[in-house]
Every structure is written in C-alpha cells, then in structure tokens.
Amino acid sequence: MTDDAVLLDVDGDVATITLNRPERRNALSEEIGDGLLDALEEVESSDAGAVVIEGAGDAFSAGGDVERMVDGLAGDVPLDDRVRALERSTCETMRRLYRSPLPTIAKIDGPAVGAGANLAIACDLQLASEDASFGFVFRQVGLGVDAGTSFLLPRLVGSNVAKELVFTGDVFGADRARELGLVNHVYPSGELDEETRVVAERIADGPTVALRHTKRLVNEGFENSLEQAMTDEAVAQGIVFQTDDHEEGVTAFVEGRDPEFEGR
C-alpha cells in the first residue's frame, strides 16, 4: 500500500487495518475508503485469520468528511455525480467490509459517529473502550441515513430503537452501546489493546475454512427461510468435512487435547 491514509500490519494470523488520519478524526474520505478497499484485498490474500480495524489518535472515525460536504455545496458538481461518488467510495467500502470472508473486529477507542459508527457495526465483532462513544448523527448535518445504516442498525438493535437513534441523533457512551447490543464487550481504556489481541488471536487460531462459511451463513440467514438455511448449512458442511482442520478437530477430540488448526 502506497498511501498512508490507511495502514496495514499483518502479525502472525492477525491483520490490523488502521485509519490513519487522526488530524481529521479519521473521517471517511475518499482516500480512506480507497485505502480500506486496498487493505482488505491485500489481507484476504494473506495467511491472516482475523482482521482488526482501528483508528489512529483519539477517534475511531468521526463519520463523513464534512469538508467534502462543504465543497459539494459550494461547487457546481451535478447531484447525480455526487451520488455516484458516494456509491463508489463509502458505500462500496461498507459493502466490501460486510462481505469480507474473514472475521472482522472493530476496535473502538473514542468516537464512532455517523458513517464511522456504521464502519464499526459492519464488522463482525465490536470491542470498545470505556472512552468510546457512538452516534448516528446524520440529521445533524441535515441528511438522511446512508452508508448502510438502514440495513446494519436494525439488525443489531431492532427497528424501533434504530429509528430512535437516527431520529434524535443522540451521542451515547460505551455502556449504553453494550446495553443496546451495538458492542460485544467494553474494557477499561488501558486494557483494550490486550483484550482485542486475545479475541483476535482466538478467532484467527480457529478452523479458517469453517469460520468463513459460518460467517456467510449467519449473514445470509436474515434473508433465508429455515429450510433454505438448513440446506445451505448442509452444503457448506459437505465442503468443510473435506478440510484438514476437520480431521484435526475430530482427532484432537478423540485424543483429549486442544486442536491445532492450520487454516486448510
């Protein structure tokens, strides 16, 4: 990766993608969107088994790039072109992150608001520090929801709570986010790095092929009937039965030891 707007580090089985515009509170600019897409493509071709996404500085992501909004108001770019630009950048980033075959973990230390909150909940797990805050604040700049809010948010908190959050634009802390089901765990600020690493390594050490299919099946389960879900699970299981990790898992169980998965 050539641009430092997004950094990628692969340490063993765990990849870390860092939004690296702390002076802009990691707002989702076009350069960050492009950097995220490049990083996801690169990490998915590596040996990593889990991906952590974090923000540099004191924010996870402060949402949309307000400076770009100001430029849009002042300029003469046609509305249709502005919509297409949004689809190419933020929307494609959210879609790519949500569909990533690898388990993804949002490590949230500081504000995650607007599209930045969506970036967090597009991940599979959300781990937050006590200093994290959240808000779906699109109304504050006179906008409706975007960046996948109408898809992602109701699936976590239900439609009535989702409507309250977007209608009011309230910003709330980590404990409230945990109560709503927006985050999995909240840790003291000084422990977030270590706890995130523990969770990421536990996931990355798992049976990679099986977890990829599991993620896909759980995501698709919202749209499928029970019959379709069970059929899809059976087909996926037929694939996973053939993996070395399945053989290792069964052998380890019989021998009374922990399995040593190799991701194949």
Side-chain angles (χ1 to χ4, degrees):
M1 299 177 61
T2 58
D3 194 341
D4 65 354
V6 173
L7 306 177
L8 172 61
D9 176 66
V10 181
D11 182 7
D13 293 337
V14 177
T16 300
I17 297 174
T18 304
L19 313 184
N20 191 41
R21 283 293 182 263
E23 72 283 358
R24 308 264 304 260
R25 309 195 84 189
N26 304 314
L28 293 182
S29 62
E30 185 173 351
E31 60 181 350
I32 280 189
D34 290 344
L36 270 168
L37 291 173
D38 290 344
L40 287 169
E41 181 175 355
E42 185 172 341
V43 77
E44 286 167 13
S45 63
S46 74
D47 293 329
V51 182
V52 175
I53 296 182
E54 64 180 10
D58 61 0
F60 178 77
S61 175
D65 191 339
V66 177
E67 289 189 17
R68 186 176 65 181
M69 296 178 196
V70 172
D71 292 341
L73 292 172
D76 57 358
V77 178
L79 177 60
D80 186 58
D81 289 348
R82 291 170 63 187
V83 171
R84 289 177 182 274
L86 180 65
E87 290 176 343
R88 286 195 305 271
S89 56
T90 304
C91 294
E92 178 57 28
T93 301
M94 296 297 177
R95 183 163 43 242
R96 187 71 175 77
L97 176 59
Y98 183 77
R99 299 296 184 193
S100 173
L102 289 174
T104 54
I105 302 168
K107 175 185 167 187
I108 309 150
D109 191 13
V113 297
N118 288 337
L119 187 70
I121 65 175
C123 294
D124 300 311
L125 277 69
Q126 295 74 32
L127 307 180
S129 78
E130 294 174 333
D131 295 329
S133 59
F134 301 82
F136 297 86
V137 297
F138 303 96
R139 57 157 283 164
Q140 307 299 70
V141 289
L143 291 176
V145 297
D146 65 16
T149 309
S150 60
F151 178 89
L152 297 166
L153 188 57
R155 282 168 165 75
L156 291 179
V157 302
S159 61
N160 59 333
V161 175
K163 289 172 185 175
E164 177 187 355
L165 295 179
V166 298
F167 288 171
T168 64
D170 286 345
V171 176
F172 48 92
D175 287 340
R176 175 64 172 154
R178 179 173 53 190
E179 291 173 4
L180 293 175
L182 281 172
V183 301
N184 297 82
H185 301 284
V186 177
Y187 303 108
S189 296
E191 299 177 12
L192 181 61
D193 288 350
E194 180 181 354
E195 295 291 349
T196 300
R197 185 72 193 185
V198 169
V199 173
E201 287 182 345
R202 182 175 182 184
I203 293 171
D205 286 343
T208 304
V209 177
L211 294 184
R212 290 188 181 206
H213 282 284
T214 296
K215 173 175 177 174
R216 175 182 58 79
L217 290 166
V218 171
N219 284 347
E220 292 175 354
F222 287 105
E223 283 76 42
N224 288 341
S225 65
L226 174 60
E227 290 74 16
Q228 185 62 56
M230 290 190 294
T231 297
D232 292 347
E233 289 168 357
V235 171
Q237 210 72 305
I239 297 171
V240 177
F241 276 146
Q242 304 176 62
T243 63
D244 293 343
D245 281 345
H246 171 59
E247 181 178 352
E248 165 62 12
V250 173
T251 302
F253 181 84
V254 171
E255 296 176 353
R257 59 177 175 82
D258 292 332
E260 297 180 6
F261 297 120
E262 296 184 1
R264 62 176 189 268

